Amino acid sequence: METIRIGNGYDVHALAEGLPMWLGGIRIEHNKGFVAHSDGDVLIHALCDALLGALALGDIGFHFPDNAQEFKDIDSKILLRQCIALVQEKGYRLGNADCTILAQAPKLRPYIDRMRKTLAPLLGSAVEDISIKATTTERLGFTGREEGVAVYATVLLYRK
């Protein structure tokens, strides 16, 4: 019998001009980027929280504190690899991931396929098991005012 676990993750980072924007493991061309201790990849951070949460392993801040010098400017793909390794150590695999990015700008549709192709091998899954959607908030709230970007991520893990 298979055992399944579901996890939910959420992350937010502020935007500032002149910083790089890393999202879904790729560089996005935009005049603003994320204010963060790491590279600020909110999509990957939400995925990490979802993976860890599914197995009650804490959250990204517990495993990778934002005051630890070893994580300063770190590529978030490294953090994701470490999270998926913890999942695999517990005998689980990713069934699928569903992510929603809330961002007024830039338009992300042209980048989504590349994000999926970048994340799938890191997660040990097929591209068709990774869903990434982007939506605006119709200029409402901090995302609508382009002050930040938020991401929701849900994962299904399974063990045979």
Side-chain angles (χ1 to χ4, degrees), residues 18-60:
L19 295 175
M21 180 181 281
W22 287 93
L23 191 60
I26 65 170
R27 177 80 184 262
I28 305 293
E29 292 304 318
H30 192 51
N31 64 328
K32 295 181 181 178
F34 298 119
V35 177
H37 183 70
S38 67
D39 65 7
D41 191 324
V42 288
L43 195 155
I44 287 181
H45 297 176
L47 270 171
C48 287
D49 267 350
L51 291 165
L52 295 167
L55 297 176
L57 296 174
D59 63 20
I60 192 169

Side-chain angles (χ1 to χ4, degrees), residues 86-150:
L86 289 170
V87 166
Q88 292 168 345
E89 284 172 20
K90 296 288 185 182
Y92 284 84
R93 292 184 41 94
L94 180 74
N96 72 300
D98 184 23
C99 306
T100 304
I101 306 166
L102 290 78
Q104 193 66 42
K107 294 295 182 193
L108 295 172
R109 182 66 206 120
Y111 298 99
I112 287 177
D113 288 340
R114 214 166 102 221
M115 289 181 205
R116 293 173 66 220
K117 288 175 184 171
T118 299
L119 294 173
L122 297 171
L123 293 164
S125 66
V127 172
E128 55 267 18
D129 295 329
I130 310 300
S131 170
I132 300 173
K133 306 170 303 285
T135 187
T136 68
T137 55
E138 303 296 329
R139 302 212 173 274
L140 298 173
F142 72 90
T143 56
R145 291 186 301 270
E146 298 183 41
E147 297 170 359
V149 172

Side-chain angles (χ1 to χ4, degrees), residues 13 34 36-41 45 71-76 79:
H13 278 289
F34 298 119
H37 183 70
S38 67
D39 65 7
D41 191 324
H45 297 176
F71 303 121
K72 178 74 176 137
D73 298 324
I74 194 167
D75 180 338
S76 291
L79 306 180

Side-chain angles (χ1 to χ4, degrees), residues 1-5 91-93 156-160:
M1 180 175 163
E2 288 187 15
T3 301
I4 61 169
R5 302 291 293 262
Y92 284 84
R93 292 184 41 94
L156 176 83
L157 305 180
Y158 69 93
R159 174 173 61 187
K160 289 190 178 195

